[in-house]
Amino acid sequence: MSRLGKITRRTLLVGAAVVAGGVAFGYYQYRKPYPNPLDGETAENEATFNPWLKIASDNTITVIVPRAEMGQGVTTTLAALVAEELDIALDDIEVEHGPAAYAYYNEVMTEEGPFPFYDESFTANAMRGAMKVAAKFLGIQGTGGSTSTRDAFEKMRLAGATAREMLKAAAAGKFGADASILTTAGGSVTDPVSGQSATYGELALAAAGLPVPDVALRPRAEWKLLGRSQPRTDMRAKVTGAPVFGIDVALPDMLFGTVKMSPRLQARPKSADLSRAEAMPGVVKVVAIDTGYGHGFGVIAENTWAAFKAAEAIEVDWEDASYPADEAGIAARLNEALDRRDGGSLRDDGDVDTAFADAPAENVLSAEYRVPYLAHATMEPMNATAWLRDGKLDVWCGNQGPTLVRQFCAGAAGLEEEAVLVHTTMMGGGFGRRIELDAALYATHMAREAGGRPVKVTWTREEDTTHDVYRPAAAGRFRARLGADGLPVALDMNIATPSVLKSILGRTFPSISPMGPDRLLSEGAFDQPYSIANYRVTGTEAELTIPTGFWRSVGNSFNAFFHESFLDEVAHAGKVDPLDLRRKLMADYPVALAVVEKAAVMAGWGTPLPAGRARGMAFTISFGTWVAEVVQVAEVDGAIRIEKVFCAADLGTVLDPAIVKAQMMSGIVFGLSQAIGQEITFADGMVEQSNFHDYDALRINQCPEIEVELLENAPRMGGAGEPGTPPAAPALANAIFALTGKRIRALPLSKEVDFV
Amino acid sequence: MTAGRGNSMKLTVNGTEIEIDADPEMPLLWALRDLAGITGPKFGCGIAACGACTVHVDGVPTRSCSVPVGGVVGEITTIEGLADGDTLHVVQQAWVDERVPQCGYCQSGQIMSAVALLDGDPDPTDAQIDEAMAGNLCRCGTYPRIRAAIKRAAAEKAKMGA
Ligand code: FES
Ligand code: FES
């Protein structure tokens, strides 16, 4: 690639940085672009304009979507950002994930810090800017935090727009015309005066070397693709069983394998007898795996089933776990943290202690809440394929962080990062599980012993369920003081849960210690748009070393249950309708109130239902998206049937309504699944659940009708993947209370009621 | 030893006879995926609890993870065998039209279950759909669109038949 090409990319990135709101310190280095990973990787007839776009002279237009497709539709929506500015149809482009590269770092993923999303104060915004700079330095190419679209929104439209102008400039030279009069459509540049026309493919090689002009992005009113539902680019592959997932990888002379890691998480083997496993038919080798993620064994075999059988035959005496061995011990650690209550209060309005000091007992409401550990249970079990030969390593896997995979696998193989190629496949579900590096890391360790042959390592469902990085258990003690009007004058939330952030940093960046308050402990509770005169939310870290991780909506997944269930208790205790309560407490937040009112209208809130039916409501803003949900339940022979869910969500700007609605529905089903029946428990230091018979999720026969409406009042763009999840559990619990008078303060709800 | 292998056996998959060398105890799923390279049927649980591995044996929806390959008698159809060249099966087309898949991992199993349902009952009620599909888990929560797609496919089939 020419020197001009480099200038091109710099200009582009500076453009992106300015749009993102430059910060004063570190600015020079921040804007220094990472190299275009496509340079030198293009075919003879192909030109790359920037890290997101290649155009070949045969008119093949390839858009790089450097985020992992796990069903959220990024391969469609992100491609549409480029296509919109490039005046081409989605049908006319090829979408590729592209290589692992720092150029594809996610600048929004670490953005929030200890501020509510709606906080537009100078400090909050300065912090967001600083977090973006930090993200650039870390250079993590990540899919998570419901950020893909927000992160790409400017960058990828700029990628398309600048390329379009360069193609026009090249055409201007060729036609002898002024670029400003040229038009673009259908993959060609046309001179409307002379009638001359040239395809992008004909112009690409000349255009890619031209300097990048400053461009203005098209205003929303001119969008043709964005804002409208597009056909998904991945549909056909997914209805024909095409081999698009990590587990489908097929390579010449490939071996197969599986792992058997310590069931006491991160404990080491004391002694092991591998002889029976090694002697089993089809087994090639049994190897020890010893990593920061865990300890155990890998079986390399001629087929997956032989590996599974042999793994069962490995006999090991494992060390004790570093955490309490059973549920009572875990509960004691949570209680200890609640008693200690020495974590930060990310919300502390008014004077809570004084407000309760003189409160008459009959005006004070208090309650304790609990939620268990949870597994991700992605539909596709963990797997990765690694091939180490001739001093280079190839790794195939569905993953949410390719640059991290590259870094870790290089370390495990004893190679430089340059010698490692990460092939990111589609994922059979992620939900936060596939940001972890264990599957790729273990496969790499096994590849070292595979004699230069590729090895595809597939975990059993049992291994997957018992070796997750779990959504942590959590507990809360809450109290409220009601005023004469029934509204809360004081709300005090004391939350205890282990730190997900610490757990993740411990396995991935042991040298970094977490700084400042950990928002994940209390997000979903401290950052909600309610005005209460005395309002405190404290999150205290419980000392539990069971590995935990990002689980769809993270802290919001339990704090929303705590906050919105307890608020419902407050409403009922004060004899205030839950909708009226929100009208009063959310008066300062019209975006919030609008989604609540919308969901209420959709559900017919306040209108009578036939006997044996009731509704419950909850609201959560998470990942920048404001969501209200109303759940309608019915009693059927003493059991609960979830009949309907009405959801109103405000993401600010909706780029593809059908995809966003599907994501909201998906999030709701995920939230209802945890609510009705999921629970990971421990005995003897081991996870007790193992497969879908004892760790199930919502089935089609339990699935309610779901209606989703999208609003666009919010000033900033929010995410889509996670925000549907948090309000589902509390809205359901609140509906069950409305129906039965039974207040359930622990998940899963199935411990108290049956579901049909 | 040429381990894990025992018997040479013949299977008819999607109308083609294939020969594999397999331990007869190996589940059909792994014989298809690892030995025959047919990866449309997916591995989800291995205990007949999720439906991701569903194939048809003589038209009967079967959890291939829980059937020993040595015991399979009959013609096997996998998701790869549904489309006629470039023309999708009416159920697959309904899946595209209703934009059913998210991650897509469960969908070959879902589609195989739905095809069998509609072959047996061209106009299933909601309750029959729920019953036939309850064994197919979807972690992405695509159920509302699965219901819609089954109804769409039923209507299309009725039109084609009429
Ligand atoms: S893999 Fe066969 S039913 Fe789950
Ligand atoms: S589409 Fe992802 S599991 Fe069903």
Side-chain angles (χ1 to χ4, degrees):
Chain A
M1 197 68 206
S2 67
R3 204 175 56 81
L4 279 172
K6 293 209 173 88
I7 294 168
T8 298
R9 289 186 308 279
R10 171 164 310 183
T11 318
L12 176 67
L13 265 151
V14 170
V18 169
V19 171
V23 228
F25 62 90
Y27 187 68
Y28 174 72
Q29 280 206 318
Y30 171 53
R31 67 183 187 177
K32 222 165 99 183
Y34 283 116
N36 182 349
L38 308 179
D39 277 350
E41 300 294 327
T42 46
E44 188 84 329
N45 68 338
E46 201 176 36
T48 171
F49 287 74
N50 50 58
W52 296 273
L53 183 65
K54 295 186 284 188
I55 300 178
S57 49
D58 66 358
N59 286 313
T60 305
I61 302 176
T62 306
V63 172
I64 308 296
V65 172
R67 294 292 174 261
E69 179 62 73
M70 51 186 140
Q72 79 282 42
V74 274
T75 45
T76 304
T77 305
L78 266 51
L81 292 170
V82 177
E84 179 72 58
E85 290 287 347
L86 208 49
D87 290 319
I88 44 174
L90 278 177
D91 282 348
D92 297 336
I93 57 176
E94 306 285 332
V95 177
E96 277 176 18
H97 179 277
Y102 294 124
Y104 302 124
Y105 74 99
N106 185 331
E107 70 180 8
V108 197
M109 206 158 70
T110 49
E111 181 191 68
E112 277 313 309
F115 300 97
F117 189 84
Y118 50 80
D119 187 342
E120 293 290 352
S121 68
F122 175 78
T123 329
N125 279 323
M127 176 71 160
R128 286 180 193 121
M131 292 306 280
K132 283 182 178 168
V133 175
K136 171 84 194 296
F137 281 124
L138 283 174
I140 294 175
Q141 179 183 359
T143 308
S146 299
T147 56
S148 294
T149 304
R150 276 190 285 158
D151 172 66
F153 186 52
E154 306 286 353
K155 288 188 217 174
M156 291 187 72
R157 285 189 298 154
L158 272 173
T162 49
R164 180 193 72 227
E165 292 306 313
M166 290 153 80
L167 289 160
K168 280 164 71 175
K174 189 172 156 136
F175 303 160
D178 181 359
S180 66
I181 64 154
L182 301 181
T183 59
T184 44
S188 294
V189 184
T190 302
D191 177 351
V193 178
S194 70
Q196 295 177 89
S197 187
T199 65
Y200 288 176
E202 289 162 355
L203 299 165
L205 287 168
L210 297 175
V212 173
D214 287 334
V215 292
L217 293 174
R218 286 188 173 144
R220 186 167 182 168
E222 290 174 22
W223 287 351
K224 297 187 201 76
L225 300 174
L226 301 175
R228 294 180 175 80
S229 300
Q230 301 300 324
R232 290 261 305 257
T233 53
D234 53 346
M235 281 298 99
R236 193 176 174 99
K238 288 179 176 179
V239 302
T240 52
V244 296
F245 301 102
I247 205 168
D248 301 332
V249 165
L251 295 164
D253 208 22
M254 184 169 75
L255 290 163
F256 301 80
T258 195
V259 293
K260 180 189 179 104
M261 307 304 287
S262 173
R264 296 203 188 95
L265 300 163
Q266 296 183 328
R268 292 167 191 274
K270 277 199 282 200
S271 63
D273 181 356
L274 310 179
S275 58
R276 212 154 63 82
E278 283 167 341
M280 288 183 69
V283 172
V284 175
K285 209 169 196 180
V286 181
V287 303
I289 297 176
D290 190 18
T291 73
Y293 259 93
H295 312 279
F297 300 90
V299 179
I300 303 173
E302 290 183 0
N303 59 69
T304 308
W305 187 68
F308 284 1
K309 300 286 286 178
E312 279 175 27
I314 296 177
E315 286 160 32
V316 196
D317 189 13
W318 305 100
E319 283 184 344
D320 287 342
S322 64
Y323 45 84
D326 58 20
E327 289 300 291
I330 291 167
R333 291 282 169 93
L334 290 168
N335 289 337
E336 183 273 323
L338 287 174
D339 294 342
R340 191 160 28 95
R341 199 184 180 156
D342 60 356
S345 300
L346 287 180
R347 170 164 230 148
D348 194 358
D349 301 343
D351 185 343
V352 169
D353 289 325
T354 307
F356 282 99
D358 65 346
E362 65 273 19
N363 288 0
V364 175
L365 181 72
S366 41
E368 278 207 37
Y369 278 74
R370 303 244 143 197
V371 299
Y373 282 93
L374 294 176
H376 292 81
T378 57
M379 205 67 216
E380 178 192 11
M382 293 300 109
N383 64 82
T385 302
W387 190 2
L388 179 65
R389 81 288 187 206
D390 309 333
K392 59 182 180 142
L393 172 72
D394 284 78
V395 177
W396 290 258
C397 60
N399 72 83
Q400 295 176 244
T403 50
L404 289 174
V405 171
R406 184 177 60 182
Q407 184 187 332
F408 272 68
C409 293
L415 296 173
E416 295 298 318
E417 284 190 28
E418 293 69 43
V420 179
L421 208 52
V422 176
H423 310 259
T424 298
T425 63
M426 285 193 189
M427 296 189 269
F431 316 129
R433 178 63 180 88
R434 285 189 158 92
I435 194 83
E436 301 293 335
L437 307 161
D438 42 2
L441 197 57
Y442 300 166
T444 301
H445 277 279
M446 291 168 68
R448 296 185 75 146
E449 308 279 336
R453 292 169 71 181
V455 53
K456 175 160 73 176
V457 181
T458 304
W459 299 18
T460 60
R461 172 60 60 191
E462 288 77 9
E463 189 72 15
D464 183 289
T465 306
T466 53
H467 296 81
D468 203 341
V469 289
Y470 299 91
R471 199 291 303 273
R477 286 185 195 142
F478 313 136
R479 55 184 180 152
R481 176 180 177 175
L482 304 187
D485 55 1
L487 296 173
V489 293
L491 180 63
D492 188 17
M493 298 185 69
N494 174 14
I495 296 162
T497 186
S499 168
V500 169
L501 205 57
K502 216 185 227 182
S503 186
I504 290 176
L505 285 176
R507 5 179 229 276
T508 47
F509 297 103
S511 57
I512 302 181
S513 52
M515 292 168 297
D518 182 349
R519 70 168 281 133
L520 305 183
L521 302 176
S522 60
E523 66 173 357
F526 86 86
D527 51 356
Q528 298 302 303
Y530 295 98
S531 305
I532 298 170
N534 306 285
Y535 191 177
R536 181 170 64 191
V537 180
T538 311
T540 300
E541 183 194 332
E543 287 179 18
L544 285 161
T545 55
I546 294 164
T548 55
F550 297 134
W551 186 96
R552 201 173 194 170
S553 83
V554 198
N556 297 283
S557 71
F558 52 88
N559 285 315
F561 173 67
F562 292 165
H563 192 277
E564 294 297 286
S565 296
F566 190 60
L567 207 63
D568 202 64
E569 290 202 56
V570 167
H572 287 279
K575 303 201 167 28
V576 182
D577 180 88
L579 173 59
D580 287 332
L581 182 87
R582 289 181 174 80
R583 282 178 177 146
K584 301 247 164 58
L585 301 183
M586 284 177 164
D588 295 339
Y589 302 96
V591 177
L593 199 51
V595 294
V596 170
E597 297 278 8
K598 179 76 186 178
V601 169
M602 290 164 68
W605 188 270
T607 62
L609 282 168
R613 287 183 166 74
R615 305 180 183 101
M617 160 183 294
F619 167 92
T620 307
I621 175 175
S622 61
F623 308 93
T625 294
W626 314 63
V627 184
E629 290 170 17
V630 174
V631 170
Q632 180 181 318
V633 293
E635 192 189 325
V636 180
D637 302 328
I640 303 290
R641 170 156 186 84
I642 310 169
E643 288 195 316
K644 290 181 182 166
V645 178
F646 304 92
C647 167
D650 193 331
L651 294 76
T653 305
V654 175
L655 296 181
D656 189 307
I659 284 178
V660 171
K661 283 186 181 179
Q663 280 284 70
M664 299 309 296
M665 281 192 198
S666 172
I668 289 166
V669 171
F670 208 81
L672 293 177
S673 292
Q674 78 147 328
I676 69 168
Q678 292 177 339
E679 175 176 42
I680 288 291
T681 56
F682 289 81
D684 193 18
M686 305 181 198
V687 170
E688 293 187 283
Q689 293 71 26
S690 63
N691 205 322
F692 293 126
H693 67 290
D694 55 9
Y695 190 84
D696 205 357
L698 199 80
R699 301 274 172 160
I700 195 170
N701 56 319
Q702 300 167 307
C703 185
E705 281 174 41
I706 304 174
E707 268 180 45
V708 179
E709 294 284 347
L710 303 174
L711 277 59
E712 294 186 285
N713 299 320
R716 289 203 283 146
M717 189 191 276
E722 292 162 282
T725 299
L732 173 59
N734 295 342
I736 292 171
F737 175 79
L739 182 68
T740 65
K742 186 194 270 263
R743 176 62 65 184
I744 309 179
R745 301 190 180 90
L747 296 180
L749 303 170
S750 54
K751 294 198 150 175
E752 303 268 347
V753 291
D754 292 329
F755 290 90
V756 287
Chain B
M1 69 185 284
T2 53
R5 311 205 167 167
N7 303 24
S8 164
M9 58 182 82
K10 291 194 168 82
L11 295 174
T12 308
V13 186
N14 301 325
T16 307
E17 192 174 83
I18 57 169
E19 200 170 333
I20 53 169
D21 238 349
D23 179 335
E25 291 299 311
M26 181 185 289
L28 173 60
L29 174 67
W30 294 113
L32 290 171
R33 291 184 59 85
D34 287 0
L35 305 185
I38 296 168
T39 53
K42 302 299 181 201
F43 169 58
C45 68
I47 59 165
C50 78
C53 64
T54 305
V55 301
H56 294 180
V57 179
D58 283 342
V60 179
T62 303
R63 309 292 186 226
S64 64
C65 70
S66 299
V67 187
V69 63
V72 175
V73 184
E75 291 204 14
I76 299 160
T77 309
T78 71
I79 184 91
E80 288 93 339
L82 287 187
D84 180 5
D86 276 349
T87 311
L88 295 177
H89 185 283
V90 55
V91 172
Q92 290 172 308
Q93 188 58 49
W95 246 244
V96 171
D97 294 340
E98 292 291 340
R99 308 161 60 104
V100 174
Q102 296 230 52
C103 85
Y105 194 76
C106 71
Q107 299 297 343
S108 38
Q110 304 279 3
I111 290 170
M112 295 310 286
S113 290
V115 167
L117 167 68
L118 292 174
D119 283 349
D121 183 346
D123 189 20
T125 63
D126 286 3
Q128 285 166 330
I129 291 174
D130 278 0
E131 196 191 319
M133 304 299 292
N136 286 85
L137 188 61
C138 174
R139 278 296 270 151
C140 298
T142 61
Y143 304 127
R145 294 192 302 283
I146 288 176
R147 286 187 188 132
I150 290 176
K151 290 185 178 164
R152 179 191 280 260
E156 282 301 317
K157 280 185 102 169
K159 256 196 262 166
M160 282 158 31

